[in-house]
Amino acid sequence: MKHKLFKSLPVAIAALFIGGAANAQTTPMSTTTPAEQFSTWSFGVNAGILSPISPLGGKNDFSDWKSDFGYGVYIKKQFTSYFSLRLDGIRGTLKADNSSAYKSGFTPNDGNNTAFKTKLNYAASLNAEVNLFNIDMFKKQNILQLYVTGGAGLSGYKPTVTAANGTVSDFGGGKDISELVIPVGIGAKVKLSEKINLDLGWSVYFVDGDNLDGTYRNGNSDKFNYAHAGLEFALGKGKQLAFSNPVAATYEEALQAKALAGSLKSDLDQQKAENAKLRSDMDDLLKDSDGDGVADKLDKCPGTPANTVVDGSGCPLVVPAPVTNEKVIITEEDRRVVREAIRNLEFDLGKATIRAHSFPTLDRVANLLSTKNISLKLAGHTDNTGSKDLNMRLSKARAESIKAYLVSKGANGSRIEATGYGMNQPIASNKTAAGRQKNRRVEFTIY
């Protein structure tokens, strides 16, 4: 069973420590705010006294234990203000003898052994460190921290024993002995600076075997303790998470929340006052005493009687009398008058001047327009003799000349439309003189 435990323990230690390293990139929970970062990695060095005895129970195989020098190192990952994992390693020497008599009169099974000395090559263990409390509950960073530790690991050592006759022998036959150890301890840390702590601790290591002192006593497992003093160095940026106080942080956040709530209430009261003033100003701005739909500030005719239709300035709206359009009926006689005017219409060659013999029939058209309120469209056309631009101007000028004559005879100019089309709309071929004669025309359209 013990062999299986030895084989699995290194894997467990590695897995736990790698898991801690994997969390190194995350912000610790329960102690940080989104804007605050903490230092969570540290390492320590220490030195102290190793003794093959424990005050926590059990019996010793030798009557007189000795103190000797020991030293150690560790690396630690802090997960919260209260919990961390640390990988410890210590070395040193353990020794005791039977120079004093046992108070109980006990004589070891191996009565020839009078002393032992064990070289502790290593005792490596993975430990959980739990911080007990903060001295000042309302201070975010403290300088004193008490803690307890507990864990498991492996030890490697080489014991030598001294027989009653003075012979010194190697208990392990020249080989190191490896056994499981269970360390438990207490300690205190004092923050000397933001990155350096004084570490004072004491641990008892329970060995899973009775080989540490090279002497058997009724199958009792051996144990030893290590009292040390050392320095711990915080790594990375930010304050040390181990010395932060989440209670104080929560208390401070509560005070900030209370202050924020007070500020928000003040802002809300101010906003309510501004809304009330705005509402009063709006009521004053929209006040309409005479109820005509125009505010008093814009009403140029205050006191308008009820149900009076007003314009945008609040004054009575003047509605023009409805305009009735007389229906115009165009008779065949009207069409004949227009056809006759077209048939008799002549201009001077290449000009817009109307010849005199065209006036009588145009006069009848003017009379028709003024008496029956008829509208007229004049469309001037030419043949293809000359340039396109010249013909366009000539056709427009002849239509305008007729319009001017009709207006001079009393016709309503707003009802006459004069347009020139030049040579763009021929009604006959321009290759013959007769065709060109037909294309030189002004069309009258009444409606």
Side-chain angles (χ1 to χ4, degrees):
M1 182 67 180
K2 186 185 295 185
H3 293 299
K4 293 182 179 179
L5 182 60
F6 288 163
K7 291 180 180 179
S8 61
L9 185 60
V11 178
I13 291 175
L16 285 173
F17 201 70
I18 290 172
N23 279 325
Q25 302 302 320
T26 63
T27 302
M29 297 176 58
S30 77
T31 58
T32 63
T33 63
E36 190 171 12
Q37 296 293 324
F38 288 101
S39 171
T40 60
W41 282 95
S42 61
F43 74 92
V45 294
N46 50 66
I49 298 173
L50 280 168
S51 304
I53 192 173
S54 168
L56 302 181
K59 297 180 180 179
N60 299 314
D61 293 344
F62 289 83
S63 63
D64 206 5
W65 56 270
K66 308 295 182 181
S67 297
D68 212 316
F69 179 71
Y71 59 94
V73 296
Y74 65 85
I75 185 168
K76 185 181 74 170
K77 166 64 178 177
Q78 193 78 34
F79 292 94
T80 71
S81 296
Y82 300 106
F83 178 79
S84 63
L85 287 178
R86 52 187 278 181
L87 186 61
D88 285 83
I90 64 172
R91 297 188 67 182
T93 303
L94 297 163
K95 58 186 178 182
D97 58 35
N98 287 326
S99 58
S100 301
Y102 279 94
K103 295 179 181 180
S104 61
F106 164 76
T107 300
N109 293 339
D110 189 353
N112 291 325
N113 290 341
T114 60
F116 86 93
K117 180 178 180 181
T118 296
K119 182 179 180 182
L120 182 64
N121 294 322
Y122 67 88
S125 59
L126 180 66
N127 297 283
E129 181 178 301
V130 179
N131 294 336
L132 296 179
F133 59 87
N134 290 287
I135 299 302
D136 188 348
M137 297 300 291
F138 295 100
K139 191 174 182 180
K140 291 182 68 176
Q141 287 284 321
N142 286 282
I143 62 171
L144 176 62
Q145 188 71 64
L146 304 181
Y147 65 89
V148 294
T149 61
L154 287 174
S155 63
Y157 55 86
K158 181 180 294 186
T160 58
V161 293
T162 302
N165 59 8
T167 303
V168 178
S169 61
D170 188 341
F171 178 78
K175 295 181 180 179
D176 285 351
I177 298 174
S178 296
E179 287 184 314
L180 173 69
V181 289
I182 305 294
V184 294
I186 59 174
K189 291 181 183 177
V190 180
K191 186 163 66 171
L192 302 179
S193 69
E194 197 57 54
K195 295 298 182 182
I196 302 176
N197 309 320
L198 174 63
D199 182 18
L200 304 175
W202 176 62
S203 301
V204 177
Y205 285 73
F206 295 90
V207 184
D208 187 27
D210 193 19
N211 300 305
L212 185 68
D213 55 10
T215 303
Y216 296 108
R217 179 186 177 189
N218 299 325
N220 289 334
S221 295
D222 292 321
K223 75 281 297 175
F224 63 93
N225 69 76
Y226 177 50
H228 70 269
L231 294 176
E232 181 180 65
F233 301 91
L235 303 175
K237 297 180 180 179
K239 298 178 180 180
Q240 296 184 59
L241 178 58
F243 285 90
S244 68
N245 186 354
V247 175
T250 303
Y251 178 72
E252 183 175 297
E253 289 173 2
L255 293 179
Q256 291 175 353
K258 182 178 179 181
L260 179 60
S263 176
L264 291 176
K265 184 178 184 303
S266 176
D267 292 345
L268 180 60
D269 292 341
Q270 182 180 355
Q271 188 63 49
K272 286 182 178 179
E274 291 178 356
N275 290 343
K277 183 178 183 302
L278 180 61
R279 190 179 298 109
S280 175
D281 293 344
M282 289 296 296
D283 291 342
D284 183 55
L285 180 64
L286 300 177
K287 185 178 180 181
D288 182 14
S289 301
D290 55 10
D292 60 359
V294 179
D296 291 351
K297 291 185 176 295
L298 303 176
D299 198 339
K300 294 182 179 179
C301 299
T304 306
N307 300 321
T308 301
V309 179
V310 297
D311 58 16
S313 63
C315 296
L317 183 65
V318 179
V319 181
V323 178
T324 56
N325 294 322
E326 179 183 357
K327 186 176 181 180
V328 178
I329 299 176
I330 299 176
T331 64
E332 182 59 32
E333 176 60 20
D334 298 335
R335 300 183 188 281
R336 186 190 65 78
V337 170
V338 172
R339 287 197 298 270
E340 185 176 349
I342 294 174
R343 188 167 48 250
N344 293 328
L345 182 62
E346 289 185 8
F347 294 92
D348 289 343
L349 183 63
K351 297 180 180 181
T353 305
I354 304 173
R355 290 183 177 177
H357 78 271
S358 301
F359 292 158
T361 53
L362 288 178
D363 291 343
R364 288 194 286 272
V365 172
N367 182 63
L368 176 64
L369 295 178
S370 59
T371 57
K372 296 192 68 172
N373 211 22
I374 291 176
S375 298
L376 174 66
K377 180 178 180 179
L378 300 171
H381 300 274
T382 66
D383 58 21
N384 64 349
T385 304
S387 68
K388 184 177 181 180
D389 291 341
L390 177 64
N391 286 323
M392 182 62 72
R393 288 195 299 272
L394 180 61
S395 64
K396 174 66 175 177
R398 286 179 174 178
E400 291 288 351
S401 178
I402 296 172
K403 176 180 178 179
Y405 181 83
L406 294 176
V407 170
S408 69
K409 295 298 181 178
N412 186 351
S414 64
R415 291 185 173 273
I416 302 175
E417 178 185 355
T419 306
Y421 294 97
M423 59 182 182
N424 295 328
Q425 297 181 3
I427 58 175
S429 174
N430 282 309
K431 294 182 179 180
T432 64
R436 289 192 293 273
Q437 179 62 35
K438 290 181 179 181
N439 290 333
R440 295 191 297 271
R441 70 197 187 279
V442 177
E443 296 178 346
F444 288 49
T445 305
I446 55 176
Y447 56 95

